[in-house]
C-alpha cells in the first residue's frame, strides 16, 4: 500500500473534503430551502391541462322498430384550468415560517462548520503540546546522561562513589522511560488528529509544530466585546432565534384557519363530438367551452381540531422561546468561563516562564559546582529534575493558553477559520 506525505502548517489548511459538516446537516439545509421555494410559489396561480374522452358503440332501434342499428360516438373535451386562491390569510405566515426555518438550517450548517474547525484546531494544538513535551523529555535525558558521565569520570579519579554512579544510571533509565512515555503520548495525539481530519490512518502527515514564544499578559478585547459577539453571531443562538420566529409564524398560520378563503377558477377549451352509423361517415361538431367559478370557503365547525392545532403551535412557540433564553445564558456562561480561563493560562505561562529561567540558572550553577566537587550528585539531579518540570510546565501552559483562546473564539461564534484564533504574536 502506498503512503502519502503532506505538510500541514495551519489547522484550517489540513481540512480536506472529508472533514466537512455532517451530510445530514447539508441535506436539512437543502430540504428547508426547497420548502421555502414551494411556499413562495404557492402564491401563484396553478395551471392544469385535462383531456377526458369517451368512445362508445351503442345499438339504437331502427325506424321500423324491429331491428337495431349500431351507432358509434365519441366526445373529446380538452380544456385548460387555472385556479388562483387570492384570499388565504395563512399563506403569508406559512411562507414566513418556511423562510425562518431555512435560515435556521443554514446557520446550523455554519455551526457544524465551526465545530469542525474547532476540533481540528484543538487536535493540532494538542499535537504541538505533545511534541513539546517529547522535546523536553529528550533534552532532560541528554542532561541526565551528562551528569551520569560526570559521576563516572569523578569515580575514575576517586572523587565519587559507586553509589553515585548507580544513582546516575538509574536517573538515565528513568529519563529514557519518561521519553518513551512522551513519545507514546505523541503517537496517540497524532492518531487522534488523523481521526479528527477524517483521513486514512496510514496517511503520513508532516505536521508543522507551533513553537512556544512569549505571550501577552492579557487579551486585547474585553469580556463584554466577546459577549456581544456571541449574542450577535453565535450560530446555535442564531438558529434558535430563527426557529422561534418560525414557531411564532406557525401560530399565525394556525389562527388563520379560522378565517375564510376565496379562490377563482377559470376553464377554457372545446368539445369535439362525433357519431356515425354502420356504413355512414363520421359526423363531427366542435363546441367551445369557457367557464369561470369563484369559490368561498369558511369552515365554521370542526369539533375543535383547529383550536387544538393553534394550542400546539403556541406551545411550540413557548418552547422555542425557552430554548433561546437557555442558549443566551449558556453562551454567556461559556464566554465568561473561557475568557477567565485564557487569562488564568496566560498568568500560568508567565509564572512558568520565570520558573524555567530560574531553574535553568540554578541547574547550570549546580552542575558546574558538582564538576568542581562543591555539590553532591543528589543536588545536581534535583536541579535537573526541577528544570525539566519547569520546562514541561511552561510548554503545557503555552499550549493550554492557545487552546483556551480557541475555546473563547468558538464560544463567541467567531471561529470561521483557524486564522480567527489569537496567536499572540503582536
Amino acid at each position: 500500500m502506498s503512503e502519502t506525505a503532506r505538510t500541514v502548517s495551519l489547522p484550517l489548511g489540513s481540512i480536506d473534503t472529508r472533514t466537512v459538516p455532517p451530510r445530514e446537516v447539508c441535506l436539512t439545509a437543502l430540504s428547508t430551502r426547497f420548502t421555502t421555494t414551494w411556499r413562495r410559489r404557492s402564491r401563484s396561480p396553478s395551471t392544469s391541462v385535462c383531456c377526458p374522452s369517451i368512445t362508445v358503440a351503442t345499438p339504437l332501434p331502427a325506424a321500423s322498430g324491429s331491428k337495431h342499428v349500431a351507432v358509434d360516438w365519441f366526445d373529446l373535451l380538452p380544456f385548460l384550468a387555472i385556479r388562483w386562491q387570492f384570499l388565504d390569510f395563512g399563506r403569508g405566515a406559512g411562507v414566513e415560517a418556511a423562510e425562518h426555518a431555512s435560515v435556521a438550517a443554514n446557520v446550523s450548517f455554519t455551526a457544524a462548520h465551526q465545530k469542525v474547525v474547532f476540533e481540528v484546531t484543538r487536535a493540532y494544538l494538542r499535537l504541538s503540546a505533545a511534541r513539546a513535551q517529547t522535546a523536553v523529555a529528550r533534552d532532560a535525558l541528554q542532561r541526565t546522561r551528562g551528569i551520569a558521565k560526570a559521576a563516572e569520570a569523578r569515580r575514575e579519579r576517586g572523587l565519587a562513589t559507586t553509589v553515585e554512579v548507580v544513582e546516575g544510571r538509574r536517573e538515565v533509565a528513568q529519563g529514557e522511560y519518561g521519553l518513551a512515555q512522551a513519545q507514546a503520548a505523541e503517537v496517540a495525539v497524532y492518531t487522534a488528529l488523523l481521526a479528527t481530519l477524517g483521513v486514512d490512518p496510514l496517511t503520513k502527515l508532516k505536521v508543522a509544530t507551533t513553537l512556544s514564544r512569549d505571550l501577552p499578559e492579557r487579551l486585547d478585547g474585553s469580556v463584554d466585546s466577546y459577549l456581544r459577539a456571541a449574542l450577535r453571531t453565535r450560530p446555535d443562538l442564531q438558529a434558535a432565534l430563527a426557529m422561534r420566529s418560525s414557531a411564532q409564524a406557525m401560530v399565525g398560520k394556525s389562527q388563520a384557519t379560522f378565517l375564510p378563503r376565496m379562490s377563482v377558477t377559470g376553464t377554457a377549451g372545446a368539445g369535439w363530438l362525433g357519431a356515425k352509423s354502420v356504413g355512414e361517415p363520421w359526423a363531427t361538431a366542435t363546441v367551445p367551452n369557457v367557464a369561470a367559478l369563484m369559490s368561498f370557503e369558511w369552515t365554521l365547525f370542526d369539533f375543535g381540531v383547529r383550536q387544538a392545532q393553534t394550542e400546539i403551535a403556541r406551545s411550540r412557540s413557548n418552547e422555542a422561546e425557552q430554548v433561546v433564553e437557555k442558549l443566551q445564558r449558556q453562551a454567556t456562561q461559556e464566554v465568561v468561563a473561557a475568557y477567565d480561563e485564557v487569562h488564568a493560562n496566560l498568568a500560568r505561562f508567565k509564572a512558568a516562564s520565570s520558573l524555567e529561567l530560574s531553574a535553568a540558572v540554578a541547574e547550570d550553577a549546580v552542575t558546574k559546582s558538582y564538576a568542581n566537587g562543591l555539590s553532591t550528585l543528589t543536588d545536581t539531579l534535583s536541579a535537573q529534575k526541577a528544570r525539566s518540570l519547569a520546562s514541561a510546565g511552561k510548554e503545557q501552559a503555552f499550549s493550554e493558553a492557545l487552546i483556551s483562546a480557541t475555546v473563547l473564539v468558538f464560544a463567541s461564534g467567531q471561529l470561521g477559520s483557524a486564522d480567527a484564533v489569537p496567536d499572540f504574536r503582536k
Side-chain angles (χ1 to χ4, degrees):
M1 181 178 295
S2 61
E3 295 181 350
T4 59
R6 290 177 290 172
T7 300
V8 179
S9 58
L10 290 176
L12 185 59
S14 62
I15 302 177
D16 62 5
T17 55
R18 286 158 289 189
T19 312
V20 295
R23 181 174 177 82
E24 58 269 19
V25 178
C26 305
L27 294 178
T28 300
L30 186 61
S31 176
T32 54
R33 186 177 302 175
F34 288 152
T35 302
T36 303
T37 303
W38 170 68
R39 291 287 186 183
R40 289 174 178 171
R41 294 182 178 178
S42 64
R43 299 177 178 178
S44 305
S46 60
T47 305
S48 60
V49 178
C50 299
C51 186
S53 62
I54 300 177
T55 302
V56 181
T58 306
L60 297 177
S64 61
S66 59
K67 294 182 179 180
H68 290 79
V69 178
V71 177
D72 297 333
W73 63 277
F74 72 91
D75 58 6
L76 183 63
L77 305 174
F79 65 91
L80 178 68
I82 300 178
R83 183 177 182 273
W84 181 30
Q85 191 172 34
F86 63 92
L87 181 62
D88 186 353
F89 295 96
R91 183 167 50 197
V95 173
E96 182 182 358
E99 289 176 346
H100 288 300
S102 178
V103 171
N106 293 332
V107 175
S108 298
F109 179 86
T110 303
H113 173 74
Q114 290 193 7
K115 184 178 180 181
V116 169
V117 176
F118 169 72
E119 291 177 349
V120 173
T121 304
R122 182 175 58 182
Y124 172 81
L125 294 176
R126 286 176 175 173
L127 178 60
S128 297
R131 287 182 171 178
Q133 296 297 327
T134 302
V136 169
R138 185 178 293 108
D139 183 62
L141 177 59
Q142 292 177 355
R143 293 198 307 271
T144 304
R145 285 173 176 171
I147 296 173
K149 290 181 180 179
E152 292 178 358
R154 285 172 56 84
R155 187 188 65 171
E156 292 177 356
R157 298 195 303 268
L159 301 176
T161 63
T162 305
V163 175
E164 292 179 345
V165 174
V166 173
E167 287 181 354
R169 293 174 180 175
R170 181 197 63 193
E171 292 300 324
V172 169
Q174 183 67 34
E176 292 175 347
Y177 175 74
L179 178 60
Q181 277 192 318
Q183 290 174 339
E186 180 182 343
V187 171
V189 176
Y190 174 78
T191 304
L193 175 62
L194 293 181
T196 305
L197 292 174
V199 300
D200 188 353
L202 298 179
T203 301
K204 301 300 182 182
L205 293 180
K206 296 180 180 179
V207 184
T209 303
T210 300
L211 301 177
S212 61
R213 54 186 178 273
D214 293 337
L215 297 179
E217 296 183 1
R218 296 186 59 84
L219 290 170
D220 293 335
S222 63
V223 65
D224 291 336
S225 64
Y226 285 99
L227 284 175
R228 287 192 298 268
L231 298 178
R232 184 179 65 255
T233 63
R234 184 159 159 155
D236 57 347
L237 184 55
Q238 296 302 312
L241 290 172
M243 291 305 298
R244 182 186 66 180
S245 300
S246 178
Q248 292 173 350
M250 290 302 296
V251 174
K253 181 182 179 181
S254 62
Q255 291 175 342
T257 58
F258 292 91
L259 301 176
R261 293 177 296 176
M262 296 184 66
S263 61
V264 176
T265 304
T267 61
W272 188 27
L273 309 178
K276 78 177 186 68
S277 60
V278 179
E280 298 295 333
W282 282 95
T284 60
T286 302
V287 180
N289 181 10
V290 178
L293 174 66
M294 177 178 291
S295 62
F296 178 84
E297 302 178 24
W298 193 359
T299 304
L300 300 177
F301 183 71
D302 60 355
F303 296 95
V305 174
R306 291 174 297 173
Q307 184 64 33
Q309 292 175 345
T310 302
E311 293 300 326
I312 292 175
R314 288 174 179 170
S315 176
R316 291 176 178 174
S317 178
N318 294 333
E319 180 182 357
E321 181 69 30
Q322 294 297 323
V323 170
V324 170
E325 294 179 358
K326 178 182 177 181
L327 286 178
Q328 287 177 342
R329 293 192 299 268
Q330 179 180 345
T332 302
Q333 294 172 356
E334 291 179 355
V335 169
V336 173
Y339 188 84
D340 293 340
E341 185 177 359
V342 171
H343 285 98
N345 287 325
L346 290 176
R348 220 175 119 203
F349 176 79
K350 180 180 178 181
S353 300
S354 300
L355 177 61
E356 184 197 31
L357 181 60
S358 301
V361 173
E363 196 252 355
D364 291 338
V366 174
T367 301
K368 293 178 181 179
S369 178
Y370 176 72
N372 295 325
L374 301 177
S375 298
T376 64
L377 179 65
T378 303
D379 294 336
T380 306
L381 293 175
S382 297
Q384 189 278 327
K385 288 182 180 179
R387 180 178 178 179
S388 299
L389 292 176
S391 298
K394 176 188 174 182
E395 296 297 337
Q396 186 67 25
F398 175 79
S399 63
E400 289 183 358
L402 294 184
I403 292 176
S404 59
T406 304
V407 174
L408 175 60
V409 176
F410 177 67
S412 60
Q414 303 177 79
L415 194 60
S417 67
D419 295 333
V421 180
D423 58 0
F424 304 114
R425 294 184 184 273
K426 298 181 180 179

